[in-house]
């Protein structure tokens, strides 16, 4: 069941990212594998399908899309390991992507993964950020989908994204 939150709700102020948090290396070998054309096509179709369900007041175009310039894993609980297992079922690939869209006076962040997703902190040009969830779902078959709207625009966004119950977060840096 999809949940779309009314866009008239007030914005929630997010905590700033902790720039002193320990960065950790990912030990997954598949991180270095370039996605196939079929995987990229599946991710683009999935992203477009989700975005078409939401009225942003202005059209979201491909040229508005910004890919992350930097990606890190950040340890939120040093010394503890995550017990999050694979949620891949029946060999079906779930979409995996993170994107930021620059629209008139707002930035739209979109992510998909096999786990539930949540924005836990953000920073915009070294200042505070407010935002709201426009779409957030998770299912065993479709994985996690998140669309988050930030108020205002900037030249650099840093977003901390939590995946499931992991003790690590993914830090994404977008330079507009």
């Amino acid at each position: 069941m999809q949940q779309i939150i009314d866009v008239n709700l007030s914005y929630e102020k997010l905590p700033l990212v902790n720039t002193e948090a320990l960065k950790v290396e990912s030990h997954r070998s598949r991180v270095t594998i370039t996605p196939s054309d079929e995987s990229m096509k599946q991710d683009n179709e999935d992203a477009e399908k989700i975005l078409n369900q939401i009225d942003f007041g202005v059209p979201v175009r491909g040229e508005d899309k910004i890919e992350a310039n930097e990606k890190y894993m950040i340890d939120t609980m040093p010394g503890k390991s995550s017990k999050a297992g694979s949620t891949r079922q029946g060999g079906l690939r779930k979409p995996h992507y993170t994107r930021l869209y620059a629209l008139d006076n707002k930035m739209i962040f979109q992510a998909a993964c096999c786990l539930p997703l949540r924005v836990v902190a953000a920073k915009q040009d070294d200042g505070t950020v407010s935002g709201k969830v426009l779409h957030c779902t998770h299912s065993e078959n479709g994985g996690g989908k998140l669309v988050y709207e930030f108020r205002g625009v900037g030249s650099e966004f840093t977003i901390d994204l939590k995946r499931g119950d992991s003790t690590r977060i993914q830090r994404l840096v977008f330079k507009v």
Side-chain angles (χ1 to χ4, degrees), residues 44-159:
N44 288 333
E45 288 172 355
D46 182 78
E48 189 175 305
K49 184 174 109 181
I50 300 298
L51 289 176
N52 285 335
Q53 296 176 21
I54 303 169
D55 179 16
F56 297 107
V58 294
V60 178
R61 303 171 312 214
E63 55 265 20
D64 298 327
K65 179 175 66 171
I66 303 162
E67 298 289 345
N69 297 80
E70 302 172 42
K71 295 181 182 182
Y72 305 101
M73 292 303 290
I74 304 294
D75 226 341
T76 59
M77 299 175 156
K80 292 189 178 188
S81 62
S82 174
K83 301 289 186 206
S86 174
T87 58
R88 196 177 268 228
Q89 305 241 334
L92 296 176
R93 179 190 176 277
K94 293 179 180 72
H96 283 75
Y97 53 84
T98 52
R99 298 173 176 159
L100 188 68
Y101 294 89
L103 303 181
D104 289 338
N105 287 322
K106 58 188 162 192
M107 304 297 276
I108 303 297
F109 174 68
Q110 183 182 28
C113 168
C114 51
L115 299 170
L117 300 168
R118 183 168 57 106
V119 172
V120 292
K123 179 174 75 167
Q124 174 184 335
D125 294 337
D126 294 322
T128 58
V129 176
S130 59
K132 62 184 170 186
V133 175
L134 298 178
H135 180 89
C136 186
T137 61
H138 178 259
S139 71
E140 290 299 317
N141 294 332
K145 312 282 191 225
L146 174 69
V147 178
Y148 202 91
E149 178 184 334
F150 293 103
R151 177 175 281 161
V153 294
S155 61
E156 182 173 294
F157 269 82
T158 304
I159 301 169

Side-chain angles (χ1 to χ4, degrees), residues 37-47 93-95:
D37 289 341
E38 185 59 35
S39 294
M40 289 189 294
K41 180 181 175 194
Q42 179 188 357
D43 288 353
N44 288 333
E45 288 172 355
D46 182 78
R93 179 190 176 277
K94 293 179 180 72

Side-chain angles (χ1 to χ4, degrees), residues 161-173:
L161 181 67
K162 186 167 175 78
R163 296 172 185 267
D165 294 328
S166 177
T167 60
R168 297 176 176 170
I169 56 171
Q170 183 176 28
R171 177 157 298 159
L172 304 148
V173 179

